Amino acid sequence: MLHAFTGGNDGQYPLGGLVRDKHGNLYGATDEGGGYYGSCGSLGCGTVFELIPPPTKVGEWKKKVLYRFKGGSDGGNPVPP
């Protein structure tokens, strides 16, 4: 497992596929979580995240939240096509 999502600011319910860049970083989205509740309810509006590979094969992946949806004009609760 690369990362276990915990809900809250971390995001919750990852969905769809992941996109890999030339450095091996992975990008994806969660349907809920993110810490902004507004129009999305108590679970949050979702996130866009990056998973960064470890420098060695035995290290741990790091997760970075790139964006937390707020609902309204920026959207929220993304779903794959």
Side-chain angles (χ1 to χ4, degrees):
M1 177 183 339
L2 300 180
H3 180 75
F5 291 87
T6 60
N9 289 338
D10 185 47
Q12 184 169 296
Y13 305 128
L15 51 99
L18 296 171
V19 175
R20 182 185 306 261
D21 70 13
K22 66 181 180 179
H23 304 289
N25 301 317
L26 300 173
Y27 299 88
T30 64
D31 180 43
E32 295 179 348
Y36 291 106
Y37 304 111
S39 64
C40 300
S42 64
L43 295 177
C45 298
T47 66
V48 175
F49 63 86
E50 175 183 18
L51 294 173
I52 304 160
T56 65
K57 291 183 180 183
V58 295
E60 292 184 22
W61 287 70
K62 294 181 183 177
K63 180 181 163 272
K64 180 178 178 181
V65 174
L66 301 175
Y67 189 75
R68 291 179 175 94
F69 291 99
K70 298 174 186 75
S73 64
D74 81 333
N77 306 108
V79 295

